[in-house]
Amino acid sequence: MKIIKTKDYAELSQEVFKVIKETLETYDEPSINTTTGASYDGTFELLVQAINAGELKIAHSIWTNLDEYIAERDKSFTVYTYMHKKFYDLIKEKPKYIGLIDGSVSDIQGEIDRYNEVLKKYPRDLQIVGLGVNAHLGANEPGTSFDSRLFLANSVESTIQSTMQYHGLTREEAPTQMITMGLADIMEANHNVVASSGVRKAQAVRDTLEGPIHEDCPAS
Ligand code: GLP
């Protein structure tokens, strides 16, 4: 494990950008699975700039996502909306394959089965995850088994509050469930990157790096 401390958010975004760039330039058909959210807004901006400037090739790569809220796809807070508004709709060159989880379907198990096939087909070279304020990964909240696989998860209150803050939602508008890759799925990738910034994440970072490896701290 390599720990990179950066002086600010801009440098953090640069570091993650470098990891993604290296992945895109190393593999013939790089498979990248990513989360969304505040931790990676800057990284996606750098990716868009580099791709549109012709400095970074993406047409040979596979992109999948870590999780998705149970909601209509066009809601402002969905992973679908994030990935399109902040990445796919902005880049001139598109990836070879884009695979998103659909949290709007009535047959949740059917969607889990479908996406499991996608994950099986595209083993991840790079997994990008974000740290929850309680050290969750994806929607694997504290107490989730380290053996978890793609499943329907309930979010805890601190996660719901973070989602409300980031997306400017009321408690009634905020989603409370996600289909999420499990911790075992996350650990399968060749490389994992976990970026974290801000005082609100400080305790989660400490617990992850200095605390015991325990299911109460999913990121541990
Ligand atoms: C959320 C999402 C994750 C995300 C994480 C951190 O609850 N389920 O996919 O990576 O928490 O989000 P942020 O970077 O906005 O703090």
Side-chain angles (χ1 to χ4, degrees):
M1 181 169 70
K2 189 171 163 193
I3 299 168
I4 304 169
K5 289 183 190 167
T6 63
K7 71 172 187 302
D8 55 20
Y9 181 80
E11 198 180 301
L12 175 145
S13 303
Q14 282 287 355
E15 289 294 335
V16 181
F17 172 78
K18 277 196 268 177
V19 174
I20 297 172
K21 186 174 191 294
E22 197 184 321
T23 304
L24 287 170
E25 291 173 352
T26 300
Y27 299 92
D28 291 339
E29 190 183 77
S31 170
I32 299 175
N33 183 288
T34 184
T35 188
T36 51
S39 304
Y40 295 103
D41 285 343
T43 303
F44 280 109
E45 280 174 25
L46 293 173
L47 281 171
V48 170
Q49 277 167 26
I51 291 164
N52 288 348
E55 292 157 13
L56 191 60
K57 298 278 163 243
I58 193 175
H60 61 311
S61 62
I62 307 295
W63 287 73
T64 50
N65 273 92
L66 177 70
D67 52 17
E68 178 60 283
Y69 294 106
I70 299 299
E72 292 304 315
R73 276 191 138 174
D74 61 359
K75 292 275 186 199
S76 62
F77 54 78
T78 62
V79 169
Y80 178 91
T81 297
Y82 183 106
M83 290 305 296
H84 281 88
K85 291 262 155 66
K86 300 203 178 197
F87 194 40
Y88 298 138
D89 291 354
L90 305 181
I91 48 180
K92 289 184 199 151
E93 186 181 278
K94 308 290 178 199
K96 184 174 180 178
Y97 175 81
I98 294 172
L100 285 146
I101 301 169
D102 190 348
S104 71
V105 296
S106 52
D107 179 8
I108 302 288
Q109 190 53 51
E111 179 60 8
I112 289 173
D113 294 343
R114 181 191 73 80
Y115 209 70
N116 266 326
E117 289 303 314
V118 171
L119 295 176
K120 206 156 83 185
K121 187 165 177 198
Y122 301 115
R124 277 73 61 208
D125 298 306
L126 178 64
Q127 177 72 58
I128 302 166
V129 282
L131 195 63
V133 287
N134 58 1
H136 74 223
L137 296 180
N140 293 265
E141 301 286 12
T144 306
S145 165
F146 283 151
D147 297 329
S148 63
R149 294 281 179 184
L150 193 69
F151 70 109
L152 177 65
N154 294 315
S155 297
V156 301
E157 193 56 33
S158 64
T159 300
I160 296 168
Q161 293 294 329
S162 292
T163 307
M164 286 165 60
Q165 269 174 32
Y166 180 56
H167 294 285
L169 305 172
T170 64
R171 184 67 178 75
E172 287 66 40
E173 291 164 340
T176 58
Q177 287 187 304
M178 295 192 100
I179 296 177
T180 181
M181 283 169 64
L183 296 168
D185 298 314
I186 291 169
M187 292 302 283
E188 269 175 6
N190 285 340
H191 299 280
N192 253 285
V193 56
V194 188
S196 178
S197 83
V199 175
R200 72 188 185 106
K201 300 283 181 77
Q203 190 62 47
V205 171
R206 166 171 286 183
D207 293 346
T208 299
L209 297 178
E210 297 175 2
I213 297 172
H214 194 279
E215 288 171 353
D216 286 344
C217 181
S220 64

